[in-house]
Amino acid sequence: QKEVEQDPGPLSVPEGAIVSLNCTYSNSAFQYFMWYRQYSRKGPELLMYTYSSGNKEDGRFTAQVDKSSKYISLFIRDSQPSDSATYLCAMSVNYGGSQGNLIFGKGTKLSVKP
Amino acid sequence: DVKVTQSSRYLVKRTGEKVFLECVQDMDHENMFWYRQDPGLGLRLIYFSYDVKMKEKGDIPEGYSVSREKKERFSLILESASTNQTSMYLCASSSLSGLGFGEQFFGPGTRLTVL
C-alpha cells in the first residue's frame, strides 16, 4: 500500500463548479498537510498548509483534514479556467529534519472549461 | 520576489556521461532539495541538504550525488547517466523558520533526456 494515494484524474469541470480533490494516506503519524498547485511547465507552489485536523479556508479554497479517516480534501468554489493545473497533496510527520520530508501524492490534473 | 533558478530547462545527454544540474536560490534558505518527477510516480526526493556541506539521502539516491559548497547553491550530479534517469528534475528550497519543510519553493525544473 502506497503511503499517499491520490486519483490522477484528469478531472474536467465547467467554470463555476465546485471542485473536490482528495488524498488518502496510511501513516497515522502525519501531522502536516499541504496542497501544492503545479501549472504546466512550472514547478509546484504551495497553496494551502494545515497542521493536524480541521478546516482551513483561503478565499475560494478550503482544505480539510480528517485524521480519523486518514483523508484530506481540497475544495475549490466558483472554479475558474485559471485554476486549471495539477494539484498535489503532500504530508509530513514533522516540521523539519528527516521526518519533515514531504511525501507527495501523484497529483490530480484539473481542467476548468469556460 | 523569491526565486529558485535551475541552470537548464532542457538537457540532452548520452549514456555514461557525467551530468551536473545546478540550482541557485536567492532567499537565504537553509534547506534545499532535489526531486525527480515522473508520470505515474509523482515527486520523489533524491537528496536534501539542511546546511552548507551537509547532505542527506532521500528516497531514491542511487545513481546520484550532490554538492553544497555555498548556502545558495545545490548541485545534483549524475556520475554516469543512464536512460532510466530520463526525467524532470526539480530543485526546491525552504526556510528553517515559518512553515519549515512544508513550504518549499520550487524551481521551474530541468527536463533531462538520456539517450
Side-chain angles (χ1 to χ4, degrees):
Chain A
Q1 184 186 9
K2 299 270 193 286
E3 273 203 288
V4 178
E5 300 270 12
Q6 183 176 10
D7 188 334
L11 183 61
S12 183
V13 301
E15 183 174 353
I18 296 174
V19 176
S20 171
L21 304 167
N22 311 295
C23 288
T24 58
Y25 63 94
S26 57
N27 187 350
S28 57
F30 286 140
Q31 298 188 85
Y32 298 86
F33 303 93
M34 280 69 64
W35 285 95
Y36 278 78
R37 178 175 61 194
Q38 185 175 19
Y39 290 115
S40 181
R41 291 185 293 278
K42 302 261 186 177
E45 57 179 346
L46 181 66
L47 190 61
M48 299 285 283
Y49 179 105
T50 311
Y51 170 68
S52 195
S53 279
N55 292 1
K56 188 171 186 178
E57 192 172 315
D58 184 2
R60 296 184 295 110
F61 298 88
T62 300
Q64 283 186 354
V65 174
D66 182 348
K67 290 189 75 179
S68 61
S69 302
K70 298 194 185 75
Y71 188 88
I72 71 170
S73 301
L74 178 71
F75 297 96
I76 308 174
R77 288 184 300 282
D78 187 26
S79 56
Q80 302 295 308
S82 57
D83 296 327
S84 298
T86 297
Y87 290 80
L88 303 113
C89 63
M91 42 200 84
S92 67
V93 172
N94 216 331
Y95 177 83
S98 60
Q99 296 278 319
N101 287 335
L102 299 186
I103 309 300
F104 284 89
K106 291 186 173 61
T108 300
K109 188 169 184 179
L110 171 68
S111 177
V112 181
K113 304 293 187 188
Chain B
D1 196 17
V2 297
K3 213 160 184 187
V4 178
T5 55
Q6 296 183 229
S7 49
S8 306
R9 290 303 302 271
Y10 300 94
L11 209 52
V12 180
K13 295 292 181 180
R14 297 212 173 272
T15 302
E17 278 193 77
K18 191 168 186 175
V19 181
F20 293 86
L21 302 182
E22 305 285 339
C23 175
V24 177
Q25 51 96 2
D26 66 0
M27 296 165 281
D28 200 34
H29 282 170
E30 295 81 8
N31 309 308
M32 295 189 75
F33 309 83
W34 274 107
Y35 294 89
R36 62 179 284 177
Q37 187 173 33
D38 301 287
L41 295 175
L43 269 168
R44 293 179 292 167
L45 181 65
I46 304 171
Y47 268 96
F48 70 102
S49 168
Y50 50 85
D51 201 353
V52 175
K53 297 193 187 294
M54 303 300 287
K55 61 185 179 185
E56 294 278 347
K57 292 179 180 178
D59 300 317
I60 50 163
E62 296 78 21
Y64 303 94
S65 63
V66 290
S67 172
R68 193 164 180 204
E69 296 296 319
K70 292 186 177 181
K71 190 176 185 180
E72 68 271 17
R73 189 179 297 268
F74 193 33
S75 303
L76 180 69
I77 303 149
L78 286 66
E79 295 290 341
S80 177
S82 63
T83 54
N84 63 13
Q85 292 178 310
T86 291
S87 186
M88 171 68 82
Y89 289 88
L90 288 158
C91 175
S93 71
S94 76
S95 172
L96 269 179
S97 59
L99 303 180
F101 279 27
E103 185 171 24
Q104 295 186 17
F105 295 87
F106 283 84
T110 296
R111 170 77 62 187
L112 173 67
T113 302
V114 183
L115 301 175

